[in-house]
Amino acid sequence: MILSDVHTHSLYCDGKDSLEDMILSATGKGFEVIGLSGHAYTPIDTSYCIRDTDNYFAEARRLAEKYKDKIKVLVGLEADLYGMIDRKRTDYIIGSVHYLEKRGAYYALDCSAEGFGHCVKAAYGGDALALAEDYFQSVVLMQDVLKPDIIGHFDLITKYNDGRAFFDENDKRYVDSACAALDILLQKGCVLEMNTGAVSRGVKKTAYPSDFILKRIKEKGSTVLLSSDAHSAAAVGFGFENCLHRLESLGFSDVFVFTDKGLIRERI
């Protein structure tokens, strides 16, 4: 199977290491493809995104040329629903929803458990399932607006929900809203990632998405793409072997892999 990880973040946004460090980590781990996917400029919150877009692309392309004999370097962006992208400059786009807008205020969903709890209370009167319903509708809207190549961390709102901290993931309202969005995305041919980022950072015990979502993806004849959402060089490719074992236990026989030829399906 081709080793490819196209969801990574560097010092250009909220990562801890340089673009070159990310590439060198990937080559050292035997990866054939590494994707650089800094957070696209997001006017509602400039604290975590690329502010120097021109230099980001220039540096990424320079490094792609420098290391072309060792690894294929793809240059992309992870774009939020409220982000700004220039698709002509990218090899691919990861589309994600990191914020919800309610009555003119924007709430970050994945910065902290306290921040998520504040959103539940302030924007939804304590009804976290109403938040979930809005979130999954926003994921569908994001796909309509951005037309990304990959859907990022589909059930991101479970990041701080281990132990049912905010809502029951088996509740019919939650399952129905997740499955309704998922079915629309799969019908459109969208590719979802299996994202280990929250696990590598010690926030979650298992990678996104939840098993019931994975099972539905399989039932619909699709599969997932493995990604680390690495915010450090050490995290590139984190947990991929565990993900493959989990997928095999659920009956998957292949995964999507992103290469310079686009998305292909490879046997596990």
Side-chain angles (χ1 to χ4, degrees), residues 113-179:
E114 292 76 18
F116 186 84
H118 172 68
C119 179
V120 172
K121 183 177 180 180
Y124 292 92
D127 186 354
L129 293 173
L131 179 153
E133 291 164 346
D134 274 4
Y135 168 79
F136 286 117
Q137 290 176 16
S138 293
V139 175
V140 173
L141 175 61
M142 177 275 297
Q143 193 281 328
D144 289 340
V145 171
L146 298 179
K147 300 293 190 295
D149 300 279
I150 301 161
I151 304 295
H153 34 59
F154 175 71
D155 53 348
L156 177 69
I157 54 173
T158 64
K159 182 173 182 177
Y160 300 109
N161 199 52
D162 279 1
R164 301 180 181 181
F166 293 99
F167 57 91
D168 181 358
E169 293 171 41
N170 294 314
D171 189 284
K172 187 176 185 300
R173 286 175 64 193
Y174 180 79
V175 172
D176 285 353
S177 59
C179 288

Short mmCIF file of all heavy atoms in Angstrom, two decimals, residues 113-179:
data_model
loop_
_atom_site.label_atom_id
_atom_site.label_comp_id
_atom_site.label_asym_id
_atom_site.label_seq_id
_atom_site.Cartn_x
_atom_site.Cartn_y
_atom_site.Cartn_z
N ALA A 113 -12.26 22.02 25.53
CA ALA A 113 -13.53 21.52 26.06
C ALA A 113 -14.36 22.67 26.64
O ALA A 113 -15.59 22.70 26.50
CB ALA A 113 -13.27 20.46 27.13
N GLU A 114 -13.68 23.63 27.26
CA GLU A 114 -14.38 24.77 27.84
C GLU A 114 -15.04 25.60 26.75
O GLU A 114 -16.18 26.06 26.90
CB GLU A 114 -13.40 25.62 28.63
CG GLU A 114 -12.84 24.96 29.89
CD GLU A 114 -11.77 23.92 29.61
OE1 GLU A 114 -11.20 23.93 28.48
OE2 GLU A 114 -11.52 23.08 30.49
N GLY A 115 -14.32 25.80 25.65
CA GLY A 115 -14.88 26.56 24.55
C GLY A 115 -16.07 25.88 23.91
O GLY A 115 -17.07 26.53 23.57
N PHE A 116 -15.97 24.56 23.77
CA PHE A 116 -17.09 23.81 23.22
C PHE A 116 -18.29 23.92 24.16
O PHE A 116 -19.44 24.13 23.72
CB PHE A 116 -16.70 22.35 23.01
CG PHE A 116 -17.75 21.53 22.31
CD1 PHE A 116 -17.84 21.52 20.93
CD2 PHE A 116 -18.67 20.78 23.05
CE1 PHE A 116 -18.81 20.77 20.28
CE2 PHE A 116 -19.65 20.04 22.41
CZ PHE A 116 -19.72 20.02 21.02
N GLY A 117 -18.04 23.76 25.45
CA GLY A 117 -19.12 23.88 26.43
C GLY A 117 -19.77 25.24 26.41
O GLY A 117 -20.99 25.36 26.55
N HIS A 118 -18.96 26.27 26.21
CA HIS A 118 -19.51 27.63 26.13
C HIS A 118 -20.43 27.75 24.93
O HIS A 118 -21.51 28.38 25.03
CB HIS A 118 -18.37 28.64 26.02
CG HIS A 118 -18.84 30.04 25.74
ND1 HIS A 118 -19.55 30.80 26.65
CD2 HIS A 118 -18.72 30.82 24.62
CE1 HIS A 118 -19.83 31.97 26.12
NE2 HIS A 118 -19.36 32.01 24.89
N CYS A 119 -20.04 27.16 23.80
CA CYS A 119 -20.89 27.19 22.61
C CYS A 119 -22.22 26.49 22.87
O CYS A 119 -23.29 27.01 22.52
CB CYS A 119 -20.17 26.54 21.44
SG CYS A 119 -21.15 26.48 19.91
N VAL A 120 -22.17 25.33 23.49
CA VAL A 120 -23.40 24.59 23.81
C VAL A 120 -24.33 25.44 24.66
O VAL A 120 -25.54 25.53 24.39
CB VAL A 120 -23.07 23.26 24.53
CG1 VAL A 120 -24.35 22.59 25.03
CG2 VAL A 120 -22.31 22.32 23.60
N LYS A 121 -23.78 26.08 25.67
CA LYS A 121 -24.60 26.86 26.60
C LYS A 121 -25.07 28.18 26.00
O LYS A 121 -26.27 28.52 26.05
CB LYS A 121 -23.80 27.12 27.88
CG LYS A 121 -24.60 27.86 28.95
CD LYS A 121 -23.78 28.01 30.23
CE LYS A 121 -24.57 28.75 31.31
NZ LYS A 121 -23.78 28.91 32.57
N ALA A 122 -24.12 28.93 25.41
CA ALA A 122 -24.45 30.29 24.95
C ALA A 122 -25.26 30.30 23.67
O ALA A 122 -26.16 31.12 23.51
CB ALA A 122 -23.16 31.09 24.76
N ALA A 123 -24.95 29.38 22.77
CA ALA A 123 -25.62 29.41 21.46
C ALA A 123 -26.79 28.46 21.36
O ALA A 123 -27.70 28.66 20.54
CB ALA A 123 -24.60 29.08 20.36
N TYR A 124 -26.82 27.42 22.21
CA TYR A 124 -27.85 26.39 22.07
C TYR A 124 -28.60 26.11 23.36
O TYR A 124 -29.31 25.11 23.46
CB TYR A 124 -27.23 25.09 21.53
CG TYR A 124 -26.75 25.26 20.11
CD1 TYR A 124 -25.44 25.64 19.84
CD2 TYR A 124 -27.62 25.08 19.03
CE1 TYR A 124 -25.01 25.83 18.53
CE2 TYR A 124 -27.20 25.26 17.72
CZ TYR A 124 -25.90 25.64 17.49
OH TYR A 124 -25.47 25.83 16.19
N GLY A 125 -28.44 26.96 24.34
CA GLY A 125 -29.18 26.82 25.58
C GLY A 125 -28.96 25.50 26.28
O GLY A 125 -29.84 25.00 26.97
N GLY A 126 -27.78 24.91 26.08
CA GLY A 126 -27.45 23.64 26.72
C GLY A 126 -27.81 22.41 25.91
O GLY A 126 -27.53 21.29 26.34
N ASP A 127 -28.41 22.59 24.75
CA ASP A 127 -28.83 21.46 23.91
C ASP A 127 -27.72 21.11 22.92
O ASP A 127 -27.68 21.61 21.80
CB ASP A 127 -30.12 21.81 23.17
CG ASP A 127 -30.70 20.62 22.40
OD1 ASP A 127 -30.05 19.56 22.35
OD2 ASP A 127 -31.81 20.77 21.84
N ALA A 128 -26.83 20.21 23.33
CA ALA A 128 -25.69 19.85 22.48
C ALA A 128 -26.12 19.11 21.23
O ALA A 128 -25.42 19.14 20.21
CB ALA A 128 -24.69 19.01 23.28
N LEU A 129 -27.27 18.44 21.29
CA LEU A 129 -27.75 17.73 20.10
C LEU A 129 -28.22 18.71 19.02
O LEU A 129 -28.09 18.44 17.82
CB LEU A 129 -28.85 16.75 20.47
CG LEU A 129 -28.39 15.57 21.34
CD1 LEU A 129 -29.59 14.75 21.81
CD2 LEU A 129 -27.40 14.68 20.58
N ALA A 130 -28.74 19.85 19.45
CA ALA A 130 -29.09 20.89 18.48
C ALA A 130 -27.83 21.43 17.81
O ALA A 130 -27.82 21.71 16.60
CB ALA A 130 -29.86 22.02 19.17
N LEU A 131 -26.78 21.57 18.59
CA LEU A 131 -25.49 21.96 18.01
C LEU A 131 -25.05 20.94 16.97
O LEU A 131 -24.61 21.29 15.88
CB LEU A 131 -24.44 22.09 19.11
CG LEU A 131 -23.02 22.48 18.70
CD1 LEU A 131 -22.30 23.20 19.85
CD2 LEU A 131 -22.18 21.28 18.27
N ALA A 132 -25.16 19.65 17.32
CA ALA A 132 -24.75 18.59 16.40
C ALA A 132 -25.54 18.66 15.09
O ALA A 132 -24.98 18.50 14.00
CB ALA A 132 -24.93 17.22 17.05
N GLU A 133 -26.83 18.90 15.20
CA GLU A 133 -27.67 19.00 14.00
C GLU A 133 -27.21 20.15 13.11
O GLU A 133 -27.11 20.01 11.88
CB GLU A 133 -29.13 19.14 14.41
CG GLU A 133 -29.70 17.87 15.03
CD GLU A 133 -31.00 18.08 15.80
OE1 GLU A 133 -31.35 19.24 16.09
OE2 GLU A 133 -31.67 17.07 16.11
N ASP A 134 -26.93 21.30 13.71
CA ASP A 134 -26.42 22.45 12.95
C ASP A 134 -25.06 22.14 12.35
O ASP A 134 -24.76 22.52 11.20
CB ASP A 134 -26.31 23.69 13.84
CG ASP A 134 -27.62 24.46 13.93
OD1 ASP A 134 -28.63 24.00 13.36
OD2 ASP A 134 -27.62 25.53 14.56
N TYR A 135 -24.21 21.48 13.12
CA TYR A 135 -22.86 21.18 12.66
C TYR A 135 -22.89 20.32 11.40
O TYR A 135 -22.23 20.64 10.40
CB TYR A 135 -22.06 20.47 13.76
CG TYR A 135 -20.77 19.89 13.24
CD1 TYR A 135 -19.66 20.69 13.03
CD2 TYR A 135 -20.67 18.53 12.93
CE1 TYR A 135 -18.47 20.17 12.53
CE2 TYR A 135 -19.50 18.00 12.43
CZ TYR A 135 -18.40 18.82 12.23
OH TYR A 135 -17.24 18.29 11.71
N PHE A 136 -23.65 19.24 11.42
CA PHE A 136 -23.65 18.34 10.27
C PHE A 136 -24.28 19.01 9.04
O PHE A 136 -23.85 18.77 7.91
CB PHE A 136 -24.34 17.03 10.61
CG PHE A 136 -23.50 16.14 11.49
CD1 PHE A 136 -23.92 15.80 12.78
CD2 PHE A 136 -22.29 15.66 11.04
CE1 PHE A 136 -23.13 14.98 13.59
CE2 PHE A 136 -21.49 14.84 11.84
CZ PHE A 136 -21.91 14.51 13.12
N GLN A 137 -25.26 19.86 9.26
CA GLN A 137 -25.79 20.64 8.13
C GLN A 137 -24.72 21.58 7.58
O GLN A 137 -24.64 21.80 6.35
CB GLN A 137 -27.02 21.43 8.59
CG GLN A 137 -28.24 20.57 8.86
CD GLN A 137 -29.41 21.37 9.41
OE1 GLN A 137 -29.44 22.60 9.34
NE2 GLN A 137 -30.39 20.68 9.98
N SER A 138 -23.87 22.12 8.46
CA SER A 138 -22.80 23.01 8.02
C SER A 138 -21.74 22.26 7.22
O SER A 138 -21.13 22.81 6.30
CB SER A 138 -22.15 23.69 9.23
OG SER A 138 -23.05 24.58 9.85
N VAL A 139 -21.51 21.00 7.57
CA VAL A 139 -20.55 20.19 6.80
C VAL A 139 -21.05 20.01 5.36
O VAL A 139 -20.27 20.13 4.41
CB VAL A 139 -20.30 18.83 7.47
CG1 VAL A 139 -19.40 17.96 6.59
CG2 VAL A 139 -19.67 19.01 8.85
N VAL A 140 -22.33 19.76 5.21
CA VAL A 140 -22.89 19.63 3.86
C VAL A 140 -22.79 20.96 3.12
O VAL A 140 -22.42 21.01 1.94
CB VAL A 140 -24.36 19.15 3.93
CG1 VAL A 140 -25.00 19.17 2.54
CG2 VAL A 140 -24.42 17.74 4.52
N LEU A 141 -23.11 22.06 3.81
CA LEU A 141 -23.00 23.38 3.20
C LEU A 141 -21.56 23.66 2.78
O LEU A 141 -21.30 24.20 1.68
CB LEU A 141 -23.48 24.46 4.17
CG LEU A 141 -23.31 25.92 3.72
CD1 LEU A 141 -24.10 26.19 2.45
CD2 LEU A 141 -23.73 26.87 4.84
N MET A 142 -20.61 23.32 3.65
CA MET A 142 -19.20 23.52 3.34
C MET A 142 -18.82 22.79 2.05
O MET A 142 -18.11 23.34 1.19
CB MET A 142 -18.34 23.03 4.51
CG MET A 142 -16.83 23.11 4.29
SD MET A 142 -16.17 21.66 3.41
CE MET A 142 -16.53 20.36 4.58
N GLN A 143 -19.31 21.56 1.90
CA GLN A 143 -18.99 20.81 0.68
C GLN A 143 -19.58 21.50 -0.55
O GLN A 143 -18.92 21.59 -1.59
CB GLN A 143 -19.52 19.38 0.80
CG GLN A 143 -18.99 18.42 -0.24
CD GLN A 143 -19.69 18.54 -1.58
OE1 GLN A 143 -20.88 18.86 -1.65
NE2 GLN A 143 -18.97 18.27 -2.66
N ASP A 144 -20.78 22.00 -0.41
CA ASP A 144 -21.41 22.71 -1.54
C ASP A 144 -20.62 23.96 -1.92
O ASP A 144 -20.48 24.28 -3.11
CB ASP A 144 -22.85 23.11 -1.18
CG ASP A 144 -23.79 21.91 -1.11
OD1 ASP A 144 -23.47 20.86 -1.69
OD2 ASP A 144 -24.85 22.04 -0.46
N VAL A 145 -20.09 24.67 -0.92
CA VAL A 145 -19.40 25.93 -1.16
C VAL A 145 -17.98 25.71 -1.67
O VAL A 145 -17.55 26.34 -2.64
CB VAL A 145 -19.38 26.78 0.13
CG1 VAL A 145 -18.48 28.01 -0.04
CG2 VAL A 145 -20.79 27.21 0.51
N LEU A 146 -17.23 24.82 -1.02
CA LEU A 146 -15.80 24.67 -1.31
C LEU A 146 -15.47 23.59 -2.33
O LEU A 146 -14.41 23.64 -2.95
CB LEU A 146 -15.04 24.36 -0.01
CG LEU A 146 -15.08 25.42 1.10
CD1 LEU A 146 -14.29 24.92 2.29
CD2 LEU A 146 -14.52 26.73 0.61
N LYS A 147 -16.35 22.58 -2.46
CA LYS A 147 -16.07 21.43 -3.33
C LYS A 147 -14.68 20.85 -3.04
O LYS A 147 -13.83 20.72 -3.93
CB LYS A 147 -16.16 21.83 -4.80
CG LYS A 147 -17.52 22.36 -5.23
CD LYS A 147 -18.59 21.28 -5.18
CE LYS A 147 -19.89 21.71 -5.84
NZ LYS A 147 -20.57 22.83 -5.14
N PRO A 148 -14.42 20.48 -1.79
CA PRO A 148 -13.08 19.99 -1.43
C PRO A 148 -12.82 18.59 -1.97
O PRO A 148 -13.76 17.84 -2.29
CB PRO A 148 -13.12 19.97 0.10
CG PRO A 148 -14.56 19.70 0.42
CD PRO A 148 -15.34 20.45 -0.64
N ASP A 149 -11.55 18.22 -2.04
CA ASP A 149 -11.18 16.87 -2.45
C ASP A 149 -11.40 15.88 -1.32
O ASP A 149 -11.66 14.69 -1.57
CB ASP A 149 -9.71 16.85 -2.88
CG ASP A 149 -9.44 17.79 -4.03
OD1 ASP A 149 -9.72 17.40 -5.18
OD2 ASP A 149 -8.98 18.92 -3.79
N ILE A 150 -11.26 16.35 -0.09
CA ILE A 150 -11.36 15.50 1.10
C ILE A 150 -12.18 16.23 2.15
O ILE A 150 -12.04 17.44 2.33
CB ILE A 150 -9.95 15.21 1.67
CG1 ILE A 150 -9.07 14.50 0.63
CG2 ILE A 150 -10.03 14.37 2.94
CD1 ILE A 150 -7.59 14.60 0.93
N ILE A 151 -13.06 15.48 2.84
CA ILE A 151 -13.82 16.03 3.97
C ILE A 151 -13.03 15.78 5.25
O ILE A 151 -12.74 14.63 5.59
CB ILE A 151 -15.21 15.38 4.09
CG1 ILE A 151 -16.01 15.53 2.79
CG2 ILE A 151 -15.99 15.98 5.27
CD1 ILE A 151 -16.38 16.93 2.41
N GLY A 152 -12.66 16.84 5.94
CA GLY A 152 -11.85 16.71 7.16
C GLY A 152 -12.67 16.34 8.38
O GLY A 152 -13.81 16.80 8.54
N HIS A 153 -12.09 15.49 9.22
CA HIS A 153 -12.65 15.07 10.52
C HIS A 153 -14.17 15.28 10.59
O HIS A 153 -14.65 16.19 11.28
CB HIS A 153 -11.96 15.75 11.69
CG HIS A 153 -11.50 17.15 11.47
ND1 HIS A 153 -12.34 18.19 11.13
CD2 HIS A 153 -10.27 17.70 11.55
CE1 HIS A 153 -11.65 19.31 11.02
NE2 HIS A 153 -10.39 19.03 11.27
N PHE A 154 -14.90 14.41 9.92
CA PHE A 154 -16.35 14.55 9.75
C PHE A 154 -17.09 14.76 11.06
O PHE A 154 -18.00 15.59 11.15
CB PHE A 154 -16.89 13.30 9.03
CG PHE A 154 -18.38 13.25 8.90
CD1 PHE A 154 -19.05 14.11 8.04
CD2 PHE A 154 -19.14 12.34 9.63
CE1 PHE A 154 -20.43 14.05 7.91
CE2 PHE A 154 -20.51 12.28 9.51
CZ PHE A 154 -21.16 13.14 8.64
N ASP A 155 -16.73 14.02 12.10
CA ASP A 155 -17.42 14.17 13.40
C ASP A 155 -16.52 14.86 14.42
O ASP A 155 -16.38 14.43 15.56
CB ASP A 155 -17.94 12.83 13.93
CG ASP A 155 -16.88 11.74 14.01
OD1 ASP A 155 -15.77 11.92 13.45
OD2 ASP A 155 -17.15 10.69 14.63
N LEU A 156 -15.97 15.99 14.02
CA LEU A 156 -15.07 16.78 14.88
C LEU A 156 -15.69 17.11 16.23
O LEU A 156 -14.99 17.23 17.23
CB LEU A 156 -14.69 18.07 14.16
CG LEU A 156 -13.81 19.06 14.93
CD1 LEU A 156 -12.41 18.49 15.11
CD2 LEU A 156 -13.76 20.40 14.22
N ILE A 157 -17.00 17.25 16.28
CA ILE A 157 -17.66 17.65 17.53
C ILE A 157 -17.59 16.58 18.61
O ILE A 157 -18.00 16.83 19.75
CB ILE A 157 -19.12 18.07 17.30
CG1 ILE A 157 -19.91 16.97 16.58
CG2 ILE A 157 -19.19 19.38 16.53
CD1 ILE A 157 -21.39 17.26 16.47
N THR A 158 -17.05 15.41 18.29
CA THR A 158 -16.83 14.39 19.33
C THR A 158 -15.45 14.55 19.99
O THR A 158 -15.10 13.76 20.86
CB THR A 158 -16.94 12.96 18.76
OG1 THR A 158 -15.89 12.76 17.78
CG2 THR A 158 -18.29 12.75 18.10
N LYS A 159 -14.70 15.56 19.60
CA LYS A 159 -13.32 15.71 20.09
C LYS A 159 -13.24 15.69 21.60
O LYS A 159 -12.36 15.03 22.17
CB LYS A 159 -12.72 17.01 19.54
CG LYS A 159 -11.26 17.24 19.96
CD LYS A 159 -10.67 18.44 19.26
CE LYS A 159 -9.21 18.64 19.63
NZ LYS A 159 -8.59 19.78 18.90
N TYR A 160 -14.12 16.39 22.26
CA TYR A 160 -14.08 16.47 23.72
C TYR A 160 -15.23 15.69 24.36
O TYR A 160 -15.61 15.96 25.51
CB TYR A 160 -14.14 17.94 24.16
CG TYR A 160 -13.00 18.76 23.62
CD1 TYR A 160 -13.22 19.71 22.63
CD2 TYR A 160 -11.70 18.57 24.08
CE1 TYR A 160 -12.17 20.47 22.13
CE2 TYR A 160 -10.64 19.32 23.58
CZ TYR A 160 -10.89 20.26 22.60
OH TYR A 160 -9.84 20.98 22.09
N ASN A 161 -15.76 14.74 23.63
CA ASN A 161 -16.97 14.06 24.11
C ASN A 161 -16.72 12.65 24.65
O ASN A 161 -17.67 11.92 24.88
CB ASN A 161 -18.00 14.00 22.98
CG ASN A 161 -19.40 13.75 23.50
OD1 ASN A 161 -19.85 14.45 24.40
ND2 ASN A 161 -20.09 12.74 22.95
N ASP A 162 -15.46 12.26 24.82
CA ASP A 162 -15.22 10.95 25.42
C ASP A 162 -15.93 10.88 26.77
O ASP A 162 -15.93 11.84 27.55
CB ASP A 162 -13.72 10.71 25.60
CG ASP A 162 -13.04 10.24 24.31
OD1 ASP A 162 -13.74 10.11 23.28
OD2 ASP A 162 -11.82 9.99 24.33
N GLY A 163 -16.55 9.72 27.05
CA GLY A 163 -17.32 9.57 28.28
C GLY A 163 -18.63 10.32 28.26
O GLY A 163 -19.21 10.59 29.30
N ARG A 164 -19.12 10.64 27.04
CA ARG A 164 -20.39 11.39 26.88
C ARG A 164 -20.38 12.69 27.66
O ARG A 164 -21.35 13.05 28.33
CB ARG A 164 -21.58 10.52 27.30
CG ARG A 164 -21.72 9.23 26.52
CD ARG A 164 -22.91 8.42 26.98
NE ARG A 164 -23.04 7.17 26.24
CZ ARG A 164 -24.00 6.28 26.43
NH1 ARG A 164 -24.93 6.50 27.36
NH2 ARG A 164 -24.04 5.17 25.71
N ALA A 165 -19.29 13.40 27.56
CA ALA A 165 -19.14 14.64 28.32
C ALA A 165 -20.20 15.67 27.98
O ALA A 165 -20.63 16.45 28.86
CB ALA A 165 -17.75 15.23 28.08
N PHE A 166 -20.65 15.69 26.72
CA PHE A 166 -21.63 16.70 26.31
C PHE A 166 -22.90 16.11 25.72
O PHE A 166 -23.96 16.72 25.83
CB PHE A 166 -20.99 17.64 25.27
CG PHE A 166 -19.89 18.49 25.83
CD1 PHE A 166 -18.56 18.13 25.66
CD2 PHE A 166 -20.18 19.64 26.56
CE1 PHE A 166 -17.55 18.92 26.18
CE2 PHE A 166 -19.17 20.42 27.09
CZ PHE A 166 -17.84 20.06 26.91
N PHE A 167 -22.81 14.96 25.08
CA PHE A 167 -24.01 14.35 24.48
C PHE A 167 -23.77 12.86 24.27
O PHE A 167 -22.64 12.37 24.29
CB PHE A 167 -24.38 15.04 23.16
CG PHE A 167 -23.28 15.03 22.13
CD1 PHE A 167 -23.17 13.99 21.20
CD2 PHE A 167 -22.36 16.07 22.06
CE1 PHE A 167 -22.16 13.98 20.25
CE2 PHE A 167 -21.35 16.07 21.10
CZ PHE A 167 -21.25 15.03 20.20
N ASP A 168 -24.88 12.16 24.07
CA ASP A 168 -24.86 10.72 23.83
C ASP A 168 -24.77 10.47 22.33
O ASP A 168 -25.69 10.80 21.59
CB ASP A 168 -26.12 10.08 24.42
CG ASP A 168 -26.16 8.57 24.24
OD1 ASP A 168 -25.23 8.01 23.63
OD2 ASP A 168 -27.14 7.96 24.72
N GLU A 169 -23.66 9.89 21.89
CA GLU A 169 -23.47 9.65 20.46
C GLU A 169 -24.36 8.54 19.92
O GLU A 169 -24.41 8.31 18.71
CB GLU A 169 -22.00 9.36 20.18
CG GLU A 169 -21.11 10.57 20.42
CD GLU A 169 -19.63 10.26 20.35
OE1 GLU A 169 -19.23 9.49 19.44
OE2 GLU A 169 -18.86 10.77 21.20
N ASN A 170 -25.07 7.86 20.81
CA ASN A 170 -26.05 6.85 20.37
C ASN A 170 -27.47 7.42 20.29
O ASN A 170 -28.38 6.73 19.86
CB ASN A 170 -26.05 5.66 21.34
CG ASN A 170 -24.74 4.90 21.30
OD1 ASN A 170 -24.22 4.60 20.22
ND2 ASN A 170 -24.19 4.59 22.47
N ASP A 171 -27.65 8.67 20.72
CA ASP A 171 -28.96 9.29 20.67
C ASP A 171 -29.45 9.36 19.23
O ASP A 171 -28.69 9.68 18.31
CB ASP A 171 -28.89 10.69 21.27
CG ASP A 171 -30.26 11.31 21.46
OD1 ASP A 171 -30.85 11.75 20.45
OD2 ASP A 171 -30.73 11.36 22.61
N LYS A 172 -30.72 9.09 19.02
CA LYS A 172 -31.28 9.06 17.67
C LYS A 172 -31.10 10.39 16.94
O LYS A 172 -30.84 10.42 15.73
CB LYS A 172 -32.76 8.69 17.72
CG LYS A 172 -33.39 8.46 16.34
CD LYS A 172 -34.83 8.00 16.48
CE LYS A 172 -35.44 7.65 15.12
NZ LYS A 172 -35.44 8.80 14.20
N ARG A 173 -31.23 11.49 17.65
CA ARG A 173 -31.06 12.80 17.01
C ARG A 173 -29.64 12.94 16.46
O ARG A 173 -29.45 13.46 15.35
CB ARG A 173 -31.35 13.93 18.00
CG ARG A 173 -32.82 14.14 18.32
CD ARG A 173 -32.98 15.20 19.39
NE ARG A 173 -32.51 16.52 18.95
CZ ARG A 173 -32.31 17.55 19.79
NH1 ARG A 173 -32.52 17.40 21.09
NH2 ARG A 173 -31.89 18.70 19.32
N TYR A 174 -28.67 12.50 17.23
CA TYR A 174 -27.29 12.60 16.78
C TYR A 174 -27.04 11.67 15.59
O TYR A 174 -26.49 12.09 14.57
CB TYR A 174 -26.32 12.26 17.91
CG TYR A 174 -24.88 12.34 17.46
CD1 TYR A 174 -24.24 13.57 17.36
CD2 TYR A 174 -24.16 11.20 17.11
CE1 TYR A 174 -22.92 13.67 16.92
CE2 TYR A 174 -22.86 11.28 16.66
CZ TYR A 174 -22.24 12.52 16.58
OH TYR A 174 -20.95 12.61 16.12
N VAL A 175 -27.43 10.42 15.73
CA VAL A 175 -27.19 9.44 14.66
C VAL A 175 -27.90 9.86 13.38
O VAL A 175 -27.33 9.80 12.29
CB VAL A 175 -27.65 8.03 15.12
CG1 VAL A 175 -27.58 7.04 13.96
CG2 VAL A 175 -26.80 7.55 16.29
N ASP A 176 -29.14 10.30 13.51
CA ASP A 176 -29.91 10.69 12.32
C ASP A 176 -29.27 11.88 11.61
O ASP A 176 -29.20 11.91 10.38
CB ASP A 176 -31.35 11.02 12.70
CG ASP A 176 -32.18 9.79 13.00
OD1 ASP A 176 -31.68 8.67 12.79
OD2 ASP A 176 -33.32 9.95 13.47
N SER A 177 -28.81 12.86 12.37
CA SER A 177 -28.23 14.05 11.74
C SER A 177 -26.89 13.71 11.09
O SER A 177 -26.59 14.20 9.98
CB SER A 177 -28.07 15.19 12.76
OG SER A 177 -27.24 14.82 13.84
N ALA A 178 -26.09 12.87 11.74
CA ALA A 178 -24.81 12.46 11.16
C ALA A 178 -25.03 11.65 9.89
O ALA A 178 -24.38 11.89 8.86
CB ALA A 178 -24.00 11.66 12.17
N CYS A 179 -25.95 10.70 9.94
CA CYS A 179 -26.18 9.82 8.79
C CYS A 179 -26.81 10.57 7.62
O CYS A 179 -26.50 10.30 6.45
CB CYS A 179 -27.06 8.63 9.19
SG CYS A 179 -26.19 7.43 10.22
#
